[in-house]
Amino acid sequence: MSRHRVKAVAYDEDDFDDGYDSPDPEEQEFLEQCTAEVLSQLLAGSPSVTATRDEVQEALWHYYNDVEKSVNYLRSE
């Protein structure tokens, strides 16, 4: 028999709600601004590069919303 006692703890699903399900409106607006900037830089470059919104937003997520790094990544892809 074990000497250790285990306390049964019941957790409510709301205890773990950290708000990540719904994006912050300010963050969403900033992401849209960055997405538009990346898309315009890709089209303005020589040669122009086309990318989908999802590809641009994935690159922005990967590079922590750094527009220049995202543009360079998408151009090299």
Side-chain angles (χ1 to χ4, degrees), residues 49-69:
V49 175
T50 56
T52 65
R53 264 186 114 60
D54 289 337
E55 291 171 332
V56 170
Q57 289 183 347
E58 184 177 333
L60 284 166
W61 178 84
H62 182 73
Y63 290 110
Y64 302 101
N65 294 328
D66 188 320
V67 172
E68 185 177 332
K69 287 181 181 179

Side-chain angles (χ1 to χ4, degrees), residues 9-36:
V9 179
Y11 291 104
D12 191 8
E13 195 64 35
D14 294 333
D15 292 339
F16 297 108
D17 185 21
D18 51 8
Y20 285 116
D21 293 340
S22 58
D24 181 27
E26 290 177 5
E27 289 177 3
Q28 193 66 27
E29 181 181 339
F30 182 68
L31 177 62
E32 290 301 321
Q33 290 172 355
C34 292
T35 302

